[in-house]
Amino acid sequence: MRLIFLGPPGVGKGTQAQKLAETASIQKISTGDILRDAVSRKTDLGLKAKQFMDAGQLVPDEVVIGLIRERLSSPDCDGGFVLDGFPRTVPQAEALGRLLEERESPIQRVISLEVSEHELVRRITGRRSCPECKRVYHIDYQPPKQSGACDSCGAKLIQRDDDREETVRKRLGVYHKQTAPLVEYYSARSLLARVDGLGSVEEVFGRLKAAVS
Ligand code: ADP
Ligand code: AMP
């Protein structure tokens, strides 16, 4: 199974990708998680990416394409993967297409998750994330069992710097301008399935599995 989860920040891509990866035993690949790891380890990549991420902008295409090229060449991706947050621009989608064509293992389905803008802002501003195992929670919708701690690994939950309301508005603008054209891009290639992201995590997961199978 080789999938892309497309959609604006906060729509639920990471939550659903995590569930699908666990259920189907495939890799969840999030460029946002890879970049945040690099930022926290203060690597060259992290130092370069941080200024863009803090400003709510996209990290340059050549940087993320390089990351994905390296990640997909790992043998653990041979059994399948779900891409969460990549591609985000048409040049990224074209580069991914070329990369997978070389390997004769094309993307099989692109899921476009959709909810209203009001709900997106509510979801993102209430998001809390585990910096260790990358699970996400929500202060109202999906609170952890013990306040402030990850259910899975016990690490202290954080609010991402770019999840504050003023940066969220900028990120949504970037999505509409640079990423939304990918809905048409993949629709024209008969790969797109639109999935309503409103409802409980389980309800959305049910719709998503139906769209994938
Ligand atoms: P994305 O990866 O698309 O940015 P996330 O999966 O991190 O989005 O979800 C954003 C926030 O919304 C998180 O706080 C998550 O707990 C919450 N969330 C995800 N799916 C749902 C849902 N179906 N209903 C309510 N809240 C949700
Ligand atoms: P995310 O965790 O997917 O919300 O991504 C957080 C931030 O990481 C984004 O706002 C971008 O700055 C950066 N980022 C993640 N994925 C990409 C990508 N495919 N292209 C460019 N920037 C990205």
Side-chain angles (χ1 to χ4, degrees):
M1 213 190 271
R2 292 178 299 275
L3 306 171
I4 293 172
F5 282 4
L6 195 63
V11 76
K13 300 181 300 296
T15 303
Q16 297 296 334
Q18 174 87 36
K19 266 181 95 63
L20 187 68
E22 283 168 5
T23 316
S25 299
I26 57 175
Q27 296 297 311
K28 167 189 176 232
I29 302 176
S30 155
T31 37
D33 283 345
I34 298 172
L35 290 166
R36 276 185 293 279
D37 264 346
V39 170
S40 70
R41 287 187 287 114
K42 297 194 169 61
T43 61
D44 286 350
L45 166 69
L47 294 174
K48 192 169 173 190
K50 186 174 173 6
Q51 50 183 318
F52 295 100
M53 296 170 80
D54 285 350
Q57 289 167 356
L58 295 185
V59 172
D61 284 341
E62 64 274 16
V63 175
V64 278
I65 290 168
L67 284 179
I68 282 291
R69 181 182 296 279
E70 192 185 324
R71 181 66 187 90
L72 290 181
S73 65
S74 167
D76 66 358
C77 292
D78 292 350
F81 54 81
V82 48
L83 294 175
D84 158 21
F86 183 94
R88 261 175 150 104
T89 63
V90 171
Q92 289 181 20
E94 289 170 346
L96 177 68
R98 285 192 297 272
L99 183 67
L100 295 179
E101 205 172 293
E102 280 165 24
R103 297 167 189 209
E104 297 179 4
S105 55
I107 291 293
Q108 292 153 320
R109 185 80 89 221
V110 178
I111 305 291
S112 170
L113 272 175
E114 302 175 356
V115 302
S116 70
E117 190 122 338
H118 174 76
E119 176 69 7
L120 287 178
V121 174
R122 182 137 192 228
R123 285 188 184 182
I124 310 184
T125 51
R127 171 160 59 190
R128 297 294 180 270
S129 311
C130 176
E132 297 298 329
C133 73
K134 320 298 179 204
R135 269 166 217 279
V136 292
Y137 299 86
H138 189 281
I139 49 175
D140 303 315
Y141 297 141
Q142 280 184 289
K145 293 194 184 84
Q146 199 190 323
S147 173
C150 177
D151 291 348
S152 178
C153 73
K156 187 169 181 286
L157 300 181
I158 54 154
Q159 181 175 29
R160 282 167 43 178
D161 287 341
D162 61 349
D163 275 354
R164 297 172 207 278
E165 191 154 350
E166 58 293 0
T167 316
V168 167
R169 298 272 175 206
K170 275 193 218 147
R171 288 164 62 206
L172 290 174
V174 166
Y175 172 79
H176 287 303
K177 205 162 159 217
Q178 294 186 264
T179 308
L182 292 182
V183 172
E184 184 48 40
Y185 178 94
Y186 284 117
S187 172
R189 285 158 182 77
S190 304
L191 287 171
L192 193 80
R194 292 173 186 269
V195 170
D196 180 4
L198 201 61
S200 71
V201 170
E202 286 305 330
E203 280 165 353
V204 177
F205 191 55
R207 286 177 212 141
L208 202 139
K209 277 192 297 187
V212 164
S213 61

